[in-house]
Amino acid sequence: MELNILCPEKEPPVSRAHVMTMIIKSFKGRRNVEVHLYRAGWKPEELETYDWDHLLGEPMHSDTPIPHENSKKVLLEAFTAEERDQVSAYLQHRYGEKLAGISACALDFPIPKGLAALSDVPEGKNVGRVRLETVPQFTLPFPVHGLYDLSQHEPLMEANGREAA
């Protein structure tokens, strides 16, 4: 398994600044499925602990249909460095052989307004969620979810039943 934890070049303005992905070798008939991990819960009072004027920047697009407030969720879904390391250790211990890799990096600040939070992306035919805290023997002290899109990954088997190259 490849472990790629990038430390930010400069200290982020807040500790909750790390985003993560894991690559599952085989998942729901697909190969090397990228799952974007995020912290799935926070207390409402956490919203009041941040200087949003300093942390949020200009909108990426002036005509975005996504409310500017959603960018706050992007930060709240991020992990602290300690949480990132806990998630990484948990995944390596619990799923090591099933994973092709774990990656993490820091958010870029300021966060553009109007970004979609991972928790706001609707599930559908190909898009779904992994809810790690519902799996037996989950040991992290906070809930972790992952968002995946199966349409972005090649099938394990071709239509004729042979393994895809």
Side-chain angles (χ1 to χ4, degrees), residues 102-132:
I102 299 170
S103 297
C105 64
L107 289 166
D108 287 329
F109 289 93
I111 299 169
K113 291 178 183 168
L115 289 182
L118 294 173
S119 60
D120 288 339
V121 175
E123 294 185 69
K125 180 181 176 188
N126 289 310
V127 176
R129 251 179 209 67
V130 175
R131 292 165 178 84
L132 291 176

Side-chain angles (χ1 to χ4, degrees), residues 135-150:
V135 178
Q137 301 170 1
F138 180 79
T139 58
L140 294 171
F142 48 89
V144 177
H145 291 184
L147 183 71
Y148 60 85
D149 182 350
L150 296 176

Side-chain angles (χ1 to χ4, degrees), residues 13-165:
V14 292
S15 62
R16 186 160 303 291
H18 302 273
V19 292
M20 300 182 72
T21 60
M22 67 178 172
I23 308 292
I24 304 174
K25 291 178 183 177
S26 173
F27 184 70
K28 295 193 176 211
R30 301 294 175 143
R31 181 186 320 272
N32 295 323
V33 175
E34 183 176 36
V35 179
H36 300 273
L37 302 170
Y38 62 96
R39 189 172 73 121
W42 54 85
K43 297 178 178 117
E45 55 268 18
E46 282 187 69
L47 279 166
E48 299 167 20
T49 63
Y50 296 106
D51 178 2
W52 294 109
D53 291 333
H54 179 68
L55 297 173
L56 299 181
E58 294 300 315
M60 287 180 63
H61 305 286
S62 58
D63 59 346
T64 181
I66 300 169
H68 291 181
E69 292 291 306
N70 279 32
S71 292
K72 292 178 181 180
K73 288 183 185 178
V74 171
L75 178 75
L76 294 171
E77 289 177 348
F79 301 101
T80 64
E82 180 182 355
E83 290 168 345
R84 174 202 64 201
D85 294 345
Q86 288 177 314
V87 172
S88 178
Y90 169 78
L91 293 173
Q92 289 177 70
H93 175 75
R94 180 77 166 84
Y95 300 104
E97 292 300 316
K98 296 177 181 178
L99 300 180
I102 299 170
S103 297
C105 64
L107 289 166
D108 287 329
F109 289 93
I111 299 169
K113 291 178 183 168
L115 289 182
L118 294 173
S119 60
D120 288 339
V121 175
E123 294 185 69
K125 180 181 176 188
N126 289 310
V127 176
R129 251 179 209 67
V130 175
R131 292 165 178 84
L132 291 176
E133 73 276 5
T134 65
V135 178
Q137 301 170 1
F138 180 79
T139 58
L140 294 171
F142 48 89
V144 177
H145 291 184
L147 183 71
Y148 60 85
D149 182 350
L150 296 176
S151 70
Q152 302 297 309
H153 306 285
E154 66 181 85
L156 289 171
M157 303 292 257
E158 293 179 352
N160 61 14
R162 293 188 317 195
E163 188 171 335

